[in-house]
Amino acid sequence: MIFKVYYQEVATEVPVREKTKAMYIEAETEEEIRKKLSGHGFNIEFVQQLEGKYLEYEQNHQNYKLEQL
């Protein structure tokens, strides 16, 4: 499954919507993603599973890049 992860790069800062970034990761569960990212110092705001038309839409977006962790 492919997930879209919304995050802030610095976990110690107060979250600001304009600084939210997103990455795409392939994993079996949300828990697996959170474990993989736990050592990166990110403030993970939301993890969303992508499927169907929404996944197709994201894959056609110019910023779509599947991250390898």
Side-chain angles (χ1 to χ4, degrees), residues 52-67:
K53 295 283 186 188
Y54 191 56
L55 175 58
E56 288 178 34
Y57 173 81
E58 292 290 338
Q59 288 174 328
N60 290 323
H61 194 269
Q62 66 183 15
N63 293 330
Y64 180 82
K65 178 184 170 199
L66 198 58
E67 300 288 335

Side-chain angles (χ1 to χ4, degrees), residues 13-64:
E13 291 182 2
V14 175
V16 178
R17 182 177 64 202
E18 291 79 14
K19 293 184 179 180
T20 298
K21 297 186 178 189
M23 72 171 74
Y24 303 91
I25 301 176
E26 187 170 7
E28 292 298 317
T29 64
E30 179 180 337
E31 181 181 356
E32 182 181 339
I33 289 171
R34 290 185 180 275
K35 283 181 183 178
K36 286 181 178 181
L37 294 176
S38 65
H40 288 78
F42 296 144
N43 178 8
I44 299 172
E45 295 178 13
F46 185 65
V47 178
Q48 180 180 22
Q49 181 180 341
L50 301 179
E51 57 189 359
K53 295 283 186 188
Y54 191 56
L55 175 58
E56 288 178 34
Y57 173 81
E58 292 290 338
Q59 288 174 328
N60 290 323
H61 194 269
Q62 66 183 15
N63 293 330
Y64 180 82

